[in-house]
């Protein structure tokens, strides 16, 4: 009997061991170094016919819907009007204090107004605020006539600039955005225009964040309610007509990263603001941007043959940025390739090589490497010396290959 009891106990212990080994779930030990989030969810669903979310430095599209579908832009048109004004100011063809006489056509233009008067002389600076802050159609027509003679001629300038900026699906017929079947643009094209405004005219960027403007005793608020809701918002432009719906172009900067959100065809003022903020929050949460090469800063000092100087600083003429999913920046691999036997004369801006960036072994970015200074040909004795040095360099390379 005792043997039977002992046998039974041993058998139960064996069965328990087999069960725990084969069937029981093993204990899970949490990782000491959890991997960073690598999955990017879909962009938020928003109330809009079309939209785009773009990085302002790289132009990378982070999210979008019907980004190349032509749509009526309403007062988003005024971004191109302001682009023309900024261009004229920078070229000294226009000055902030220039007085502009208000025509009857400008005064009679319908829609939103700055409330200028016929025959009144208004300085350019005031008209700019009337356009950027309170979306005055009267101010748009007045300054368009001053710059180009007529609003129709001004629209030609707008279309010319659109072509230069790569806005392939845009056509303007006026400076205001009042309805016209031949007046249209797309979310992508507006993103390209906004990117150009931000990067080409930083000195005028403050136009878009002013919260109110008073003229002729009439104070009006900026219609962009995001300026009051989020301190990272830098403004840009609102728009609304029955045909276009409610539209908004927004820019914002957080932690050194600037994003552009374009929302077209929303159903209300609040809806377009909510949609824009949702897109911006998504972009800032799941992406990051970093300057990897600074403009006019020497990256290499390669040998130059037959020049006055033995080396020349090389780099990039414009800042080079990368926009990547959050947590991926440390995985990028940058490589610099220089042309063989760089020879004088060298002219500043002349390509002398290439910078390439890979992410996960895939090409991500390619950028020309250029000379940052001139290097003229050296004297005859320097050239003779370099001729001998170059010959020995080639022989040495041949021997080692």
């Amino acid at each position: 009997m005792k043997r039977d009891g002992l046998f039974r106990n041993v058998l139960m212990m064996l069965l328990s061991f087999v069960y725990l080994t084969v069937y029981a779930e093993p204990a899970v030990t949490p990782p000491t170094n959890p991997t960073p989030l690598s999955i990017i969810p879909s962009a938020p669903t928003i109330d809009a016919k079309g939209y785009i979310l773009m990085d302002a430095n790289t132009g990378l599209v982070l999210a979008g819907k019907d980004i190349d579908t032509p749509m009526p832009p309403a007062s988003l048109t005024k971004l191109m009007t302001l682009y023309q004004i900024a261009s004229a100011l920078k070229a000294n063809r226009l000055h902030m204090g220039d007085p502009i006489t208000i025509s009857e056509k400008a005064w009679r233009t319908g829609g939103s107004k700055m409330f200028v008067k016929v025959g009144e002389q208004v300085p350019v600076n005031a008209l700019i605020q009337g356009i950027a802050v309170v979306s005055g159609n009267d101010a748009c027509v007045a300054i368009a006539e001053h710059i180009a003679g007529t609003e129709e001629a001004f629209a030609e300038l707008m279309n010319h600039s659109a072509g230069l900026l790569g806005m392939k699906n845009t056509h303007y017929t006026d400076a205001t955005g009042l309805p016209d079947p031949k007046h249209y643009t797309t979310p992508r094209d507006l993103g390209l225009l906004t990117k150009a405004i931000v990067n080409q005219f930083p000195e005028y960027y403050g136009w878009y964040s002013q919260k109110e403007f008073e003229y002729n005793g009439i104070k009006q608020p900026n219609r962009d309610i995001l300026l009051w809701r989020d301190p990272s918002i830098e403004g840009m432009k609102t728009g609304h007509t029955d045909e276009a719906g409610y539209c908004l172009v927004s820019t914002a900067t957080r932690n050194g990263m600037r994003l552009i959100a374009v929302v077209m065809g929303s159903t209300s003022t609040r809806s377009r603001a909510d949609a824009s903020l949702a897109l911006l929050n998504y972009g800032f949460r799941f992406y990051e941007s970093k300057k990897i090469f600074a403009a006019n800063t020497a990256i290499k000092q390669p040998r130059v043959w037959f020049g006055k100087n033995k080396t020349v600083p090389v780099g990039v003429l414009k800042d080079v940025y990368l926009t990547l999913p959050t947590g991926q920046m440390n995985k990028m691999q940058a490589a610099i390739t220089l042309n063989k036997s760089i020879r004088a004369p060298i002219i500043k801006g002349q390509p002398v090589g290439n910078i390439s960036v890979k992410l996960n072994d895939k090409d991500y970015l390619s950028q020309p490497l250029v000379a940052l200074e001139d290097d003229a040909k050296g004297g005859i004795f320097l050239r003779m010396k370099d001729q001998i040095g170059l010959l020995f360099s080639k022989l040495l390379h041949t021997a080692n290959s």
Side-chain angles (χ1 to χ4, degrees), residues 155-235:
E156 291 182 23
L157 296 178
M158 298 168 74
N159 287 319
H160 178 70
S161 294
L164 293 177
L165 294 174
M167 299 168 65
K168 298 179 180 180
N169 297 296
T170 294
H171 186 261
Y172 297 107
T173 60
D174 57 59
T176 63
L178 289 170
D180 185 318
K182 295 181 181 179
H183 189 99
Y184 52 82
T185 188
T186 68
R188 186 198 297 272
D189 285 359
L190 282 168
L192 293 173
L193 173 58
T194 304
K195 179 175 178 289
I197 290 171
V198 169
N199 294 306
Q200 292 182 25
F201 307 113
E203 64 269 41
Y204 304 132
Y205 196 43
W207 293 352
Y208 305 95
S209 58
Q210 188 173 327
K211 291 183 177 180
E212 62 182 18
F213 176 59
E214 182 176 350
Y215 189 77
N216 275 340
I218 302 171
K219 183 183 287 187
Q220 299 184 72
N222 194 316
R223 295 171 176 83
D224 185 357
I225 62 176
L226 286 183
L227 289 171
W228 285 267
R229 286 177 57 181
D230 189 312
S232 71
I233 298 293
E234 298 164 328

Side-chain angles (χ1 to χ4, degrees), residues 41-53:
S42 300
T45 301
I46 64 171
D47 173 21
K49 291 181 180 177
Y51 67 85
I52 196 168
L53 178 66

Side-chain angles (χ1 to χ4, degrees), residues 287-303:
Y287 292 89
E288 59 183 325
S289 185
K290 181 181 180 182
K291 184 195 296 185
I292 58 171
F293 296 108
N296 299 305
T297 300
I299 298 172
K300 291 279 188 179
Q301 294 270 358
R303 179 74 161 89

Side-chain angles (χ1 to χ4, degrees), residues 28-343:
V28 177
T29 303
T32 55
N33 296 308
T35 56
L37 179 67
S38 58
I39 297 175
I40 298 178
S42 300
T45 301
I46 64 171
D47 173 21
K49 291 181 180 177
Y51 67 85
I52 196 168
L53 178 66
M54 178 186 291
D55 183 275
N57 285 312
T58 63
L60 182 69
V61 176
L62 308 182
K65 171 189 173 185
D66 291 336
I67 63 175
D68 292 316
T69 301
M71 304 175 191
S75 285
L76 300 187
T77 298
K78 295 180 175 78
L79 287 175
M80 180 57 87
T81 300
L82 290 162
Y83 181 89
Q84 300 303 315
I85 295 169
S87 298
L89 286 168
K90 199 160 191 175
N92 288 318
R93 291 184 283 107
L94 189 69
H95 305 90
M96 288 293 189
D98 289 350
I100 294 180
T101 303
I102 305 303
S103 69
E104 184 171 347
K105 179 186 176 183
W107 173 71
R108 288 187 179 278
T109 303
S112 53
K113 288 179 177 289
M114 173 182 164
F115 296 106
V116 293
K117 300 175 182 178
V118 178
E120 182 181 18
Q121 288 197 321
V122 184
V124 167
N125 183 51
L127 290 172
I128 289 171
Q129 294 176 81
I131 298 169
V133 183
V134 301
S135 204
N137 291 336
D138 48 1
C140 288
V141 174
I143 208 162
E145 291 175 336
H146 181 79
I147 289 176
T150 65
E151 188 180 7
E152 291 75 20
F154 187 79
E156 291 182 23
L157 296 178
M158 298 168 74
N159 287 319
H160 178 70
S161 294
L164 293 177
L165 294 174
M167 299 168 65
K168 298 179 180 180
N169 297 296
T170 294
H171 186 261
Y172 297 107
T173 60
D174 57 59
T176 63
L178 289 170
D180 185 318
K182 295 181 181 179
H183 189 99
Y184 52 82
T185 188
T186 68
R188 186 198 297 272
D189 285 359
L190 282 168
L192 293 173
L193 173 58
T194 304
K195 179 175 178 289
I197 290 171
V198 169
N199 294 306
Q200 292 182 25
F201 307 113
E203 64 269 41
Y204 304 132
Y205 196 43
W207 293 352
Y208 305 95
S209 58
Q210 188 173 327
K211 291 183 177 180
E212 62 182 18
F213 176 59
E214 182 176 350
Y215 189 77
N216 275 340
I218 302 171
K219 183 183 287 187
Q220 299 184 72
N222 194 316
R223 295 171 176 83
D224 185 357
I225 62 176
L226 286 183
L227 289 171
W228 285 267
R229 286 177 57 181
D230 189 312
S232 71
I233 298 293
E234 298 164 328
M236 283 309 275
K237 194 69 196 74
T238 61
H240 171 254
T241 61
D242 291 341
E243 292 80 3
Y246 290 84
C247 307
L248 180 59
V249 171
S250 304
T251 58
T253 298
R254 300 178 194 170
N255 298 319
M257 181 181 186
R258 177 173 285 147
L259 296 181
I260 298 166
V262 179
V263 172
M264 302 183 73
S266 192
T267 55
S268 70
T269 299
R270 180 166 296 278
S271 181
R272 71 185 177 190
D274 290 344
S276 299
L277 196 55
L279 288 172
L280 293 168
N281 287 337
Y282 168 81
F284 287 124
R285 171 64 182 86
F286 294 106
Y287 292 89
E288 59 183 325
S289 185
K290 181 181 180 182
K291 184 195 296 185
I292 58 171
F293 296 108
N296 299 305
T297 300
I299 298 172
K300 291 279 188 179
Q301 294 270 358
R303 179 74 161 89
V304 176
W305 300 99
F306 313 118
K308 286 187 175 181
N309 302 309
K310 288 188 176 182
T311 62
V312 64
V314 299
V316 292
L317 296 179
K318 294 183 180 180
D319 293 338
V320 177
Y321 287 83
L322 270 185
T323 304
L324 296 173
T326 300
Q328 299 295 304
M329 199 66 72
N330 61 348
K331 297 181 181 180
M332 72 168 189
Q333 297 174 316
I336 294 174
T337 305
L338 290 166
N339 298 344
K340 293 181 179 179
S341 302
I342 301 173
R343 306 184 182 204

